[in-house]
């Protein structure tokens, strides 16, 4: 692929997907990079615009974050990179960063006159791919294209890891690249062309598309997917058939395959939640811990996959966590959904336990409030995304959140659930930055049809949330869901991590109603929806570990800044589903998530929570390490190496994983999270 | 000739702005951005700056009159103001902004008020100087500016 010589070489945008780092990049390569710059200061905006134009980039400027978001949403593939100011009147730059990360998976550069370490750290934890100090010099802008390439490269890698045919892909890539270059008359700015290319590649065999057109697994799409899977039977559900059943134009077998992978992981996770006592107390993440790195890695769920792709997952995780954490309501309802889901998926899991626990907690979960706590006002879309992945879980979380803080545990559960769900999705989707989707899914009825009757209830919940605009909650939910798997097998471990931290950051306490700043300490009461679930399920939830976590979480929540917690949560979440490797980043997130979850579980005594709890605690304590261990706890090692799941039967995959994991981590004795084993 | 004299005058004026530290390196960045497509880019940006920052100055002034002083709000305004000022290279103004923020951080109202007065002075002085500079620059014609003084 190369950029055509002479004229505008392959537009970064279009060819970025196919750009192979390392390939000879023509000098003109970055030219035409489509940049969106957001800053409320007109002077800076004008200067930046001029500087970027001088770098031969294609610039679009806007002075409001809302405008930027609508521009981005209106044209998902219209930009390659976003540069945003931190302090803006209508929306905090970090919030915008999260949204973008979740929904569009674009690299985002933050800038500010503030060069304080905290702010810069915040940028890192929210997933910014760079941070520029004002006044910005043109030299600093000349190299921003590297972020785009890097992200694409990572996505590609992720994509590959998810089991796609690499060769084909590569082949396709080059084809695509060539195609782009030749087709483009040097006008790489021609995003339309790029789109065409993308479409073509999409239509091609599944193994292609380096570009990875972002497939947004909306709630509806996911529901269709789940319906197809159920129709086929989880063990007979192969991407090809699922694709046929779904009959969605433009969806490739690969998209489905990766989504399926995530989904399976999610299911595994759900069924594999082990009961671990909540040790999370106090160990909840320190928001600072969350600062490990990209939250992205935390996405135990899919975020990880996404995270690998770029910062996206991180953001998503954060958001998710925030969402989940913020609202942790003790409702155990979250559990319920999980349980239901699990059942649906023919899991015989102990999840029921969770469900039960949840029921207890559903005190007055306000469903709506799920997102309340979440500091990040994720828009419904984001929630919807979350929901996709987290589906039922997300709902739970959401509900929990609305509750207001007590159900931190619930939240965590939800989060776990959400996470697992999202994870599943994410895993499948690595490429598309599904992470972002997570949050949005939350908005949507998280309950996937699979969940069964309970699910329906849950679904209702998310809607509530959406209305409140708690996107963030959903996000967390998804994250949380992850670890939530009610089944004892899944060690919620990973999840706790995320939750705790996440929770803290999330103003889960019911106060999230508005866009709360990330400072909102995650209200633990995420689980507003638990009530609903409780009703649905008559499960008695044991004390979820999460509960413990939740408790701790609350405490931790307050202490951290949203960010920190999110990170943790994310990491937690991430770990859950993701291989240990990813754990590091995930740990943080997971921890955050875990913490939130825990808080949400406070009220509920769900068995799952328990699982979560300990995990979370563990996570919090040592995000990285724990996360790893935690994840491995999950009964099914499969979770750990999501990417290798292919279309195998869930069980067989599980077995394999176990084997694989066993080798990797020899000790699954969860109680001892021995980190050493985790060979990520 | 008149033109040459003016050119020299312009160069001297410009140099003194840097020497007296009214302007810093960032201003040169702006000058370098000026080209045939945007021949008055620097003036355009500076005008934009003065127009936008006048609003901020006013907000700060009003906030300084409230009792008790809301330091975080003041800091917020000043942060914005500082960002703007630094982007055009207004060195002294930026220094005063930093000082002001420091006073806000420690809650020193007196210090804030004092610093703000100084800041306004620098702000106005720079404005006048730049106005004179641009006026001359316009007379001299394009391609006279943007040369690194040092």
């Amino acid at each position: 692929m190369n950029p055509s010589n002479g004229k505008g070489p392959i537009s970064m945008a279009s060819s970025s997907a196919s750009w192979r780092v390392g390939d000879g990049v023509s000098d003109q390569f970055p030219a035409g990079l489509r940049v969106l710059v957001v800053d409320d200061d007109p002077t800076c905006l004008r200067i930046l615009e001029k500087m970027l134009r001088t770098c031969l980039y294609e610039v679009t400027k806007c002075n409001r974050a809302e405008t930027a978001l609508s521009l981005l949403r209106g044209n998902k593939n219209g930009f390659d990179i976003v540069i945003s100011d931190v302090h803006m009147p209508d929306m905090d730059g970090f919030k915008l960063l999260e949204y973008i990360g979740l929904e569009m998976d674009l690299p985002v550069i933050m800038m500010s006159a503030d060069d304080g370490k905290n702010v810069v750290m915040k940028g890192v934890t929210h997933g910014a791919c760079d941070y520029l100090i004002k006044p910005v010099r043109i030299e600093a802008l000349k190299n921003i294209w590297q972020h785009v390439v890097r992200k694409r490269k990572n996505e590609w890698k992720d994509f590959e890891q998810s089991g796609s045919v690499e060769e084909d892909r590569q082949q396709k890539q080059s084809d695509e690249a060539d195609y782009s270059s030749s087709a483009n008359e040097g006008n790489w700015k021609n995003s339309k062309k790029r789109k065409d290319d993308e479409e073509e590649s999409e239509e091609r065999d599944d193994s292609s598309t380096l570009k990875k057109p972002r497939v947004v697994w909306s709630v509806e799409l996911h529901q269709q997917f789940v319906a197809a899977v159920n129709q086929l039977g989880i063990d007979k559900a192969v991407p090809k058939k699922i694709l046929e059943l779904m009959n969605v134009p433009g969806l490739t077998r690969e998209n489905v395959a990766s989504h399926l992978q995530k989904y399976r992981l999610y299911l595994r996770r759900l069924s594999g939640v082990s009961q671990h006592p909540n040790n999370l107390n106090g160990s909840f993440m320190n928001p600072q811990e969350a600062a490990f790195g990209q939250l992205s890695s935390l996405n135990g769920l899919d975020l990880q996959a996404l995270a690998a792709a770029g910062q996206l997952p991180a953001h998503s995780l954060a958001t998710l966590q925030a969402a989940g954490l913020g609202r942790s309501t003790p409702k155990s309802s979250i559990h319920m959904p999980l349980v239901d889901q699990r059942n649906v998926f023919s899991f015989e899991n102990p999840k029921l336990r969770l469900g039960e626990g949840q029921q207890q907690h559903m005190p007055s979960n306000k469903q709506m409030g799920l997102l309340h706590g979440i500091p990040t006002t994720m828009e419904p879309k984001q929630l919807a995304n979350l929901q996709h992945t987290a589906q039922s879980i997300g709902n739970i979380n959401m509900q929990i959140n609305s509750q207001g803080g007590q159900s931190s545990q619930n939240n965590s559960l939800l989060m776990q659930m959400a996470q697992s769900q999202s994870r599943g999705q994410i895993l499948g989707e690595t490429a598309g930055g599904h992470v972002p989707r997570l949050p949005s899914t939350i908005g949507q009825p998280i309950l996937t049809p699979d969940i069964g009757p309970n699910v329906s209830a849950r679904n209702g919940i998310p809607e509530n949330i959406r209305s409140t605009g708690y996107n963030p909650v959903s996000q967390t939910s998804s994250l949380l869901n992850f670890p939530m798997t009610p089944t004892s097998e899944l060690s919620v471990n990973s999840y706790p991590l995320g939750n705790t931290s996440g929770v803290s950051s999330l103003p889960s306490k019911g106060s999230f109603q508005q866009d709360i700043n990330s400072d909102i300490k995650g209200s633990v009461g995420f689980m507003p929806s638990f009530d609903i679930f409780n009703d649905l399920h008559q499960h008695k939830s044991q004390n979820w570990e999460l509960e413990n976590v939740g408790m701790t979480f609350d405490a931790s929540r307050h202490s951290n800044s949203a960010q920190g917690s999110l990170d943790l949560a994310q990491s937690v979440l991430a770990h859950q589903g993701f291989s240990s490797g990813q754990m590091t980043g995930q740990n943080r997130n997971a921890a955050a998530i875990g913490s939130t979850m825990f808080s949400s579980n406070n009220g509920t005594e769900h068995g799952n929570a328990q699982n979560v709890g300990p995990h979370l605690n563990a996570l919090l304590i040592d995000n990285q390490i724990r996360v790893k261990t935690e994840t491995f706890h999950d009964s099914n090692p499969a979770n750990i190496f999501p990417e290798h799941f292919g279309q195998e039967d869930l069980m067989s995959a599980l077995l394999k994983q176990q084997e694989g994991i066993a080798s990797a981590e020899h000790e699954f004795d969860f109680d001892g999270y021995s980190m050493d084993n985790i060979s990520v | 000739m008149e033109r040459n004299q003016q050119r020299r005058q312009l160069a001297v004026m410009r140099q003194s702005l840097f020497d007296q530290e009214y302007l810093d390196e960032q201003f040169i960045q702006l000058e370098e951005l000026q080209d045939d497509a945007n021949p008055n880019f620097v003036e355009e940006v500076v005008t934009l700056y003065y127009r936008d920052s006048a609003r901020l100055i006013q907000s700060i002034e009003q906030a300084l009159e409230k009792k008790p002083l809301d330091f975080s709000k003041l800091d917020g305004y000043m942060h914005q103001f500082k960002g703007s000022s630094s982007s055009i290279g207004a060195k002294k103004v930026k220094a005063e902004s930093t000082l002001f923020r420091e006073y806000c951080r420690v809650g020193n109202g007196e210090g804030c008020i004092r610093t703000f007065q100084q800041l306004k002075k620098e702000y106005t002085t720079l404005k006048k100087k730049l106005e004179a500079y641009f006026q001359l620059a316009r007379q001299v014609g394009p391609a006279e500016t943007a040369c690194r003084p040092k």
Side-chain angles (χ1 to χ4, degrees), chain A residues 40-44 46-47 50-51 54 85 87 89 112-114 134-139, chain B residues 25-26 29-30 33 35 38 41 44-45 48-49 52 79-80 83-84 86-88 94 101:
Chain A
D40 64 313
D41 181 336
T43 313
C44 292
R46 180 77 188 93
I47 296 174
K50 187 73 179 75
M51 283 180 173
T54 304
D85 187 34
H87 298 271
S112 178
D114 204 343
K134 285 182 176 177
V136 178
R137 296 173 59 89
I138 195 171
E139 290 81 19
Chain B
E25 172 68 21
Q26 190 63 20
Q29 288 264 316
L30 297 189
L33 287 173
D35 54 17
N38 299 88
F41 180 70
E44 182 193 329
V45 172
L48 196 56
Y49 163 73
D52 184 60
H79 170 85
Q80 266 184 280
S84 262
S86 68
S87 65
I88 66 153
K94 180 182 174 182
R101 288 191 78 197

Side-chain angles (χ1 to χ4, degrees), chain B residues 26 33 42 55-56 65 72 87 141:
Chain B
Q26 190 63 20
L33 287 173
V42 188
R55 192 178 43 82
L56 273 172
E65 279 160 23
S72 86
S87 65

Side-chain angles (χ1 to χ4, degrees), chain A residues 575-596:
Chain A
H575 287 292
Q576 299 248 328
F578 287 78
S579 51
S580 46
Q582 317 228 323
M583 306 276 274
T584 340
Q586 299 175 340
N587 288 328
R588 277 198 305 135
N589 291 331
I593 303 186
S595 42
T596 33

